[in-house]
Amino acid sequence: MRHKNPREIGSRSLRASLAYASIPSDEVIRKLQWFLDLEDIPLDFLTDDPLLRRRGKRVCAHLCRDSLPQGSLIGIPSGIDDLSLYITNPELTFVHMAATSDKLGAIYAGMALCSDYRIEPLGAGGIVTRSCSDVPLTSVSRIERFLERAGSLYGARKARIALPYVLEHSRSPKESGLAMFYGLPPALGGMKLGAVRLNPCIKVFTGRDLFGKPQSEERYPDILLTSVSKSGARRDVAFDYDSVSVHEGDAKLLDDRRRANAIATVDSIVHYSITTSDLEDFDYLVLMGERARRVLKLAARPTLRVSRESEEGRMQLAQFRSRQDDLWKRFVFKGPGY
């Protein structure tokens, strides 16, 4: 997440395997950490030799004897003349994250890998938008194809379970967390507010030309929630995350406000704006979600088979509230990387 897409800078080989892979010395690892801009961050290595496994302040070696699908490793520059360096591709990285995380952690990691942003400590809010040749690291469809070839690879089963909840095109970690909060099912702590899309393109009216012809332009709400009734009636709610920490500068804040006003003119869309201070208020986020639910005309969640006023009903609601609070604390309020 700190680097440009490795596939876009070219690779020496996509057919490399773990056979004869070695674990560098501590001195070499220090050089790699500096070259890769990962100083003070331990590097994880894969090896098929159990004798090479070791763990220390700078390195953690993992044993992998599974047969990796073709393309699992990408060659990148190492900064050291006689050292060939390969990294796991984004799809295999997702499998590894799923293997070592719970379902929520895997979903969040998948959204990061499929996002439109890159970690950049000097950027506004610590991130920058990927653009031009720096395309998103991967996509849901690309991960799906990789998993079809992964077989029983360690972590693949958990990755398959998490992938249906992964969304593409997030533009910030907080945006990912908010989409999870409003979009995931109650069993995972989410509010399940219809179908969720991140930064979809919509057309908005911008006036008329000299001949009276209507003009339009493209706008991109951060989060778009959609419900469709049995009769086919569609309802949309747009959430925009306007944060000084991410969208820094008066010009950007002005652009955000104008974008929000433009989206608000679309008849079929109800528009809400969420700020950084709002993200720190759990009850307010729940309230905004319930307001969106009323607009979308969705049934109350979670669905209970008993009365909400019964002892069992209150217990189930308390359990849901606990899951919701856990999701909020991990991925919205404190969010990894923030």
Side-chain angles (χ1 to χ4, degrees):
M1 293 303 299
R2 288 171 173 257
H3 296 83
K4 293 186 176 181
N5 192 323
R7 291 189 175 107
E8 300 304 310
I9 62 175
S11 60
R12 296 189 295 275
S13 173
L14 291 179
R15 298 180 179 274
S17 72
L18 293 180
Y20 309 113
S22 62
I23 308 300
S25 66
D26 287 344
E27 181 181 355
V28 171
I29 289 174
R30 280 195 294 270
K31 293 179 180 179
L32 287 175
Q33 288 175 313
W34 175 83
F35 182 77
L36 297 173
D37 192 25
L38 296 172
E39 291 182 273
D40 300 322
I41 298 177
L43 300 186
D44 292 79
F45 290 90
L46 292 178
T47 179
D48 63 351
D49 186 347
L51 297 178
L52 295 179
R53 293 182 68 179
R54 77 174 194 267
R55 185 183 297 269
K57 182 179 180 181
R58 296 181 179 276
V59 61
C60 181
H62 306 268
L63 182 65
C64 178
R65 287 180 164 175
D66 291 318
S67 177
L68 300 180
Q70 181 179 338
S72 294
L73 304 176
I74 302 175
I76 64 170
S78 69
I80 302 173
D81 291 339
D82 58 349
L83 179 67
S84 296
L85 181 64
Y86 296 85
I87 59 170
T88 56
N89 70 10
E91 296 77 38
L92 180 56
T93 300
F94 175 65
V95 173
H96 288 164
M97 294 299 296
T100 56
S101 307
D102 62 6
K103 187 183 292 185
L104 286 178
I107 293 168
Y108 184 87
M111 291 176 68
L113 291 168
C114 295
S115 73
D116 292 342
Y117 70 87
R118 176 170 58 82
I119 302 297
E120 173 49 70
L122 299 180
I127 60 173
V128 293
T129 301
R130 294 184 184 273
S131 58
C132 301
S133 62
D134 186 21
V135 299
L137 297 174
T138 188
S139 65
V140 170
S141 61
R142 200 160 189 167
I143 295 174
E144 285 177 341
R145 293 194 297 271
F146 182 85
L147 289 174
E148 289 173 358
R149 300 182 284 117
S152 59
L153 183 68
Y154 180 65
R157 184 184 65 84
K158 293 178 68 175
R160 294 186 183 101
I161 294 173
L163 186 60
Y165 302 105
V166 171
L167 300 173
E168 301 175 345
H169 302 304
S170 172
R171 293 187 178 178
S172 76
K174 294 287 190 178
E175 192 175 290
S176 297
L178 194 61
M180 291 169 64
F181 189 81
Y182 286 140
L184 289 180
L188 295 175
M191 298 188 71
K192 191 56 178 174
L193 299 177
V196 185
R197 288 183 292 163
L198 295 176
N199 297 289
C201 176
I202 61 174
K203 297 282 188 178
V204 299
F205 174 73
T206 57
R208 299 180 181 275
D209 62 16
L210 294 176
F211 303 99
K213 184 178 178 180
Q215 302 293 299
S216 65
E217 64 182 10
E218 296 177 346
R219 292 287 179 173
Y220 298 85
D222 291 336
I223 301 172
L224 187 66
L225 307 170
T226 302
S227 68
V228 180
S229 68
K230 293 182 179 179
S231 64
R234 172 174 169 157
R235 301 177 181 88
D236 296 294
V237 171
F239 278 95
D240 273 317
Y241 170 49
D242 296 322
S243 166
V244 175
S245 65
V246 173
H247 299 157
E248 188 174 348
D250 293 340
K252 182 57 180 173
L253 290 173
L254 176 62
D255 182 68
D256 284 344
R257 293 192 191 99
R258 290 181 175 178
R259 176 182 64 163
N261 290 337
I263 293 172
T265 64
V266 181
D267 291 338
S268 61
I269 298 179
V270 174
H271 180 268
Y272 298 120
S273 181
I274 298 291
T275 66
T276 299
S277 59
D278 295 331
L279 295 184
E280 298 173 358
D281 189 334
F282 174 81
D283 292 329
Y284 183 73
L285 286 185
V286 172
L287 173 62
M288 294 301 293
E290 292 302 334
R291 288 174 176 171
R293 189 186 302 282
R294 291 176 65 88
V295 173
L296 296 167
K297 298 190 181 301
L298 295 172
R301 294 295 185 97
T303 303
L304 304 181
R305 294 183 178 180
V306 297
S307 169
R308 289 176 172 250
E309 301 304 320
S310 67
E311 182 178 354
E312 184 179 353
R314 290 196 297 270
M315 181 180 299
Q316 290 182 18
L317 289 174
Q319 291 172 345
F320 165 66
R321 183 82 166 188
S322 177
R323 293 192 298 271
Q324 197 176 29
D325 183 69
D326 176 63
L327 190 158
W328 171 70
K329 286 179 178 176
R330 290 177 61 188
F331 304 106
V332 181
F333 179 36
K334 294 184 178 179
Y338 271 70

